[in-house]
Amino acid sequence: SITMKKDCRFYANLGLAYFYSRKVEQAKRAYLSAISLNPSYNVAKINLAVLLIRKMRFRKGIKYLNEVIASEHDNFYAHLFLGYAYFRLREYTLARKHLTTGIKYNSNYFELYYYRAHVYYKLKNYGYALRDLNIALRIEPNHRRARLLQSLIRRQGRRGYGF
């Protein structure tokens, strides 16, 4: 039999396999094993944070993502999920800050513009929301939800909510 050294990457990949198989607790344990073997392995921290955020454990996910950006301030993916988590917590100023930072490091990533458009929409800043949706739709022209939000904002503009 072939033996394999079980390093942090092994556990991070195992966690991903469990995650895609919807075995959340096993995925969480595997990610935590990867982190315990290498506390600076940010891939496992991001994957664990995404899992926690999807399970609506936003504050715990934010904790891991903040650890990532402390060592990799330009990690746009960490900023994306920080922005999303803060958006879900209705902390729109922090959400906008992280999504904007993510865009600074990767200006071609659809979700950064899409979620920042949602933030602007919640802040009733419809002009900026439409601007971000236009950029997002240049990246992914057939994204149905982005088109629906764009249509909703335009209707509100015609009803006098202002831009």
Side-chain angles (χ1 to χ4, degrees):
S1 101
I2 297 174
T3 59
M4 187 172 172
K5 181 182 172 201
K6 294 180 180 174
D7 66 359
C8 62
R9 289 181 305 265
F10 169 83
Y11 285 106
N13 288 333
L14 183 62
L16 202 54
Y18 281 135
F19 179 79
Y20 285 126
S21 299
R22 300 178 198 244
K23 296 177 179 176
V24 175
E25 284 308 310
Q26 292 97 322
K28 182 179 170 185
R29 282 194 299 274
Y31 291 140
L32 288 170
S33 293
I35 294 165
S36 72
L37 286 169
N38 183 351
S40 64
Y41 190 52
N42 287 335
V43 171
K45 288 180 184 179
I46 291 172
N47 288 347
L48 177 58
V50 169
L51 180 148
L52 292 166
I53 289 166
R54 287 193 174 179
K55 295 310 247 171
M56 305 197 45
R57 305 204 50 209
F58 301 113
R59 296 281 176 210
K60 286 194 173 204
I62 286 169
K63 172 192 164 291
Y64 286 104
L65 292 169
N66 279 326
E67 289 178 17
V68 171
I69 63 169
S71 64
E72 282 183 57
H73 66 279
D74 60 347
N75 189 311
F76 80 92
Y77 206 67
H79 285 289
L80 166 64
F81 279 96
L82 277 165
Y84 178 75
Y86 283 122
F87 172 77
R88 293 295 309 273
L89 290 168
R90 297 181 179 168
E91 295 181 30
Y92 301 126
T93 301
L94 284 169
R96 183 180 61 206
K97 173 188 164 213
H98 284 288
L99 293 166
T100 300
T101 301
I103 289 167
K104 175 182 167 185
Y105 295 118
N106 187 342
S107 61
N108 294 310
Y109 205 75
F110 170 84
E111 284 83 359
L112 290 163
Y113 292 102
Y114 177 70
Y115 288 116
R116 193 172 71 171
H118 276 277
V119 169
Y120 282 131
Y121 175 73
K122 291 293 188 178
L123 294 171
K124 297 183 181 1
N125 195 330
Y126 302 124
Y128 281 115
L130 282 174
R131 183 197 65 193
D132 276 0
L133 286 169
N134 289 336
I135 295 168
L137 287 165
R138 278 198 297 271
I139 297 167
E140 283 192 34
N142 298 317
H143 195 278
R144 191 176 66 80
R145 288 184 177 174
R147 293 249 178 241
L148 288 171
L149 181 59
Q150 185 183 50
S151 175
L152 173 72
I153 294 169
R154 286 182 176 153
R155 279 196 309 275
Q156 286 183 332
R158 284 195 295 271
R159 286 192 221 133
Y161 289 103
F163 287 82

